[in-house]
Amino acid sequence: MKTAICPGSFDPVTLGHLDIIERAADIFDNVIVLVMSNSSKYQSMFTIDERISLLERCIKSKNVVVDTYDGLLVQYAKEKGAVAIVKGLRAMSDFDYEFQQALTNKSLYPDVETVFLTASGKNMFLSSSMVKEVCTLGGDINSFVPADIAPDIYKRCKGDN
Ligand code: ADP
């Protein structure tokens, strides 16, 4: 059984993330979507538990579970016996950072491969930060996030909860 990990912040999950998760679920036997805290990166809009719950509400594939971890990704991969870390690649701007991460992870734990899936054309410029910005400024995010969770994001952006 081959297990892959899809790591990220998922603050919140977008249709771009879901596309990568579902494509990974078609390739691997099991997929773990790993919500990383990355506290240094930015101030998050949703807590880790909220992000997990939003992900669980939109993931339909049966071979996908959601988990969280605040340590080293390769350590988690080793513990789970994962063979791959699956990342989505959007524009060239993702490349430098992802390449550096993949090489670092490979040198820390050579048994895990980083697999890049290219973003679908329609999601090429979609990011969680873009969703938050558009939503906070009153724009329409319905074509960026799963319909099931759009109301939760609107509420949070309006400061209603
Ligand atoms: P973001 O950059 O939106 O904050 P994350 O840190 O949560 O994203 O990213 C988790 C993973 O999902 C990364 O591999 C990232 O490249 C990928 N990803 C994010 N948005 C998209 C998208 N629109 N299409 C494909 N992959 C994406």
Side-chain angles (χ1 to χ4, degrees):
M1 294 288 258
K2 291 195 188 292
T3 298
I5 301 172
C6 291
S9 319
F10 306 104
D11 184 42
V13 57
T14 68
L15 290 175
H17 294 130
L18 271 190
D19 179 46
I20 298 295
I21 293 165
E22 273 154 21
R23 285 159 62 195
D26 284 344
I27 301 172
F28 294 95
D29 299 307
N30 297 304
V31 171
I32 304 171
V33 177
L34 195 62
V35 181
M36 310 286 290
S37 50
N38 262 350
S39 51
S40 60
K41 198 170 146 190
Y42 59 90
Q43 178 70 36
S44 61
M45 177 171 269
F46 293 93
T47 66
I48 297 273
D49 285 347
E50 287 170 335
R51 287 183 246 165
I52 292 174
S53 150
L54 293 174
L55 276 157
E56 286 176 343
R57 280 163 53 195
C58 3
I59 293 170
K60 308 288 178 222
S61 309
K62 296 271 179 281
N63 57 338
V64 180
V65 294
V66 185
D67 196 6
T68 182
Y69 190 65
D70 61 6
L72 204 55
L73 177 57
V74 287
Q75 182 56 37
Y76 182 90
K78 206 181 277 187
E79 282 167 22
K80 297 289 173 179
V83 297
I85 294 167
V86 176
K87 305 296 303 270
L89 263 193
R90 288 164 290 192
M92 278 305 285
S93 50
D94 277 346
F95 187 78
D96 270 357
Y97 178 74
E98 294 294 353
F99 198 64
Q100 196 182 343
Q101 288 245 311
L103 289 177
T104 306
N105 287 336
K106 187 76 181 166
S107 69
L108 290 171
Y109 182 43
D111 290 355
V112 76
E113 291 292 344
T114 298
V115 175
F116 292 110
L117 298 180
T118 47
S120 304
K122 61 182 184 337
N123 299 326
M124 198 54 104
F125 296 100
L126 181 51
S127 68
S128 298
S129 20
M130 196 270 280
V131 166
K132 287 182 278 194
E133 193 171 337
V134 170
C135 188
T136 305
L137 295 171
D140 182 350
I141 58 164
N142 285 301
S143 57
F144 305 144
V145 300
D148 293 352
I149 64 163
D152 299 67
I153 303 172
Y154 277 120
K155 253 194 213 163
R156 182 60 53 90
C157 290
K158 280 203 279 173
D160 285 356
N161 70 350

